Amino acid sequence: MQLQQQRLSAGSSGCAGRRLAAPAVRRASSRARTMPVVEARKVAVLGAAGGIGQPLSLLLKMNKLVTELALYDIANVKGVAADLSHCNTPVKVTAYTGDAELEGALKGAELVVIPAGVPRKPGMTRDDLFNINAGIVKGLVSAAAKHCPNAIIEIISNPVNSTVPIASEVLKAAGVYNPKRLLGVTTLDVVRANTFVSEARGLDLKDVDVPVVGGHAGITILPLLSQATPSVTFSDAEREAMTKRIQEAGTEVVEAKAGAGSATLSMAYAAARMAESTLLGLAGEPSVFECAFVDSQAVPGSPFFASKVQLGPEGVSQVLGLGTLNDFEKAALDAMLPELKAQIQKGIDFARK
């Protein structure tokens, strides 16, 4: 992976649930959806030669909503672009290497997806990633603010609880901040929750939908099992174990790879789902919902929070509330808020230095 040089390349189901603050409209299934006719859509992937960037770029090359796929990294991106260009889909693939070519990657982009950074390794927490990835995100978002100020920016680079606030401060300083157009990609938490719950209860995966709220690290990840569709029941011990597994699923992958990487393939899948939903929203597709870490008033005192959002032509068209939580979820929310707020503030302080 390129980014041992401490520069670039780190590592959905919809999240509609029951008893939400707004009508629980489920994300339209692919079978029910008609593919809208759209104008040219340029998508830029920053960190495209990394462990997440490569499979993510492949999935986007297969997306009919994308017209041009601009791949950026500090090295080896031309090889990735050449490889992808041989796939017989009509998406045009272009390659950009290094700071001097970053403007070309961003110019005209409507969606910028940032998986840039270094991945987690065994024993490394998301906080350990901060000093490296925070600087990478700050630099890339600064460039996006200059060269594609109206683009939707989706942050994958961990720790998301801090990197999204960094991006917001950078955009504010540049005078182009639009909270509707900045999202932290937490879709992977929903993908994992859906998978684990369907396996535990023997359900058809396509029918399972578990909203996941809060943040994107450890105890800040809060699956709302009480709002799962279809309705499922867990004993206290089962609920606690399931919640802990969803929260620690990233570590499960890091340890299984034994130093060879982190959750790259599942993260690429989740990011591609989020990108597709965003592009559908831009195209005017109604009733597109995902969970994302956004500028939010869902929880008093937390300026950013992951919850269900509706996507539309302007990006995030609506941030939905948490709905009715059970006693376990209320306690978990109260327990995680101090840590989530501290991680958000850490990002804000870094950006303001």
Side-chain angles (χ1 to χ4, degrees):
M1 187 176 291
Q2 298 21 290
L3 304 187
Q4 299 304 319
Q5 304 173 45
Q6 298 190 357
R7 289 294 302 280
L8 288 187
S9 300
S12 116
S13 204
C15 69
R18 301 173 64 187
R19 301 189 297 281
L20 290 166
V25 182
R26 297 194 66 181
R27 184 181 185 276
S29 70
S30 57
R31 290 195 300 266
R33 190 184 295 146
T34 57
M35 191 63 70
V37 177
V38 298
E39 298 178 0
R41 300 288 188 201
K42 178 178 177 179
V43 177
V45 179
L46 309 185
I52 292 173
Q54 289 195 45
L56 171 59
S57 297
L58 173 60
L59 292 170
L60 292 174
K61 178 71 165 75
M62 299 166 64
N63 193 311
K64 295 180 180 179
L65 296 170
V66 180
T67 304
E68 179 181 351
L69 186 59
L71 307 183
Y72 174 82
D73 215 318
I74 61 168
N76 300 336
V77 71
K78 290 184 179 179
V80 175
D83 197 358
L84 286 178
S85 69
H86 294 177
C87 300
N88 62 328
T89 76
V91 180
K92 177 184 177 182
V93 180
T94 53
Y96 303 87
T97 305
D99 292 343
E101 297 183 4
L102 181 53
E103 177 180 354
L106 292 170
K107 208 77 173 180
E110 294 182 79
L111 173 61
V112 177
V113 185
I114 306 180
V118 297
R120 278 207 298 159
K121 297 178 181 179
M124 182 184 286
T125 67
R126 284 181 169 85
D127 278 346
D128 293 330
L129 301 177
F130 180 81
N131 288 332
I132 299 172
N133 290 353
I136 293 172
V137 169
K138 186 175 182 179
L140 293 176
V141 174
S142 294
K146 181 178 181 181
H147 301 302
C148 54
N150 295 317
I152 294 174
I153 300 175
E154 296 184 344
I155 306 289
I156 298 171
S157 309
N158 277 317
V160 166
N161 294 353
S162 299
T163 54
V164 172
I166 288 171
S168 74
E169 292 298 313
V170 170
L171 295 168
K172 287 175 185 177
V176 296
Y177 180 55
N178 181 343
K180 296 180 179 181
R181 292 183 170 265
L182 176 64
L183 302 90
V185 179
T186 62
T187 325
L188 179 55
D189 298 323
V190 177
V191 167
R192 287 166 166 163
N194 291 352
T195 300
F196 300 162
V197 168
S198 70
E199 290 173 348
R201 288 295 179 264
L203 301 171
D204 190 331
L205 185 56
K206 68 178 173 52
D207 297 327
V208 179
D209 190 11
V210 182
V212 183
V213 303
H216 187 56
I219 65 167
T220 70
I221 300 169
L222 177 55
L224 301 183
L225 298 174
S226 70
Q227 297 183 21
T229 303
S231 180
V232 292
T233 57
F234 293 96
S235 68
D236 290 347
E238 288 173 332
R239 180 174 55 227
E240 184 173 350
M242 178 63 70
T243 298
K244 186 173 182 179
R245 188 186 178 198
I246 294 166
Q247 291 173 338
E248 298 182 358
T251 300
E252 182 179 312
V253 175
V254 169
E255 292 177 349
K257 289 190 174 182
S262 57
T264 53
L265 300 177
S266 54
M267 184 65 251
Y269 166 78
R273 286 285 311 238
M274 187 68 201
E276 179 188 63
S277 293
T278 302
L279 293 170
L280 284 167
L282 286 174
E285 177 80 12
S287 302
V288 180
F289 296 86
E290 293 286 358
C291 284
F293 188 67
V294 297
D295 190 318
S296 174
Q297 303 299 316
V299 175
S302 183
F304 292 88
F305 200 82
S307 65
K308 183 184 176 189
V309 301
Q310 183 173 8
L311 298 165
E314 297 302 317
V316 176
S317 61
Q318 184 179 190
V319 179
L320 304 185
L322 305 187
T324 302
L325 308 184
N326 62 26
D327 290 342
F328 176 87
E329 292 159 352
K330 289 177 183 177
L333 177 62
D334 290 340
M336 72 121 105
L337 279 175
E339 183 167 335
L340 178 60
K341 292 176 183 179
Q343 292 173 5
I344 292 169
Q345 191 60 48
K346 185 175 182 179
I348 292 172
D349 291 343
F350 177 88
R352 290 179 177 177
K353 287 182 181 177

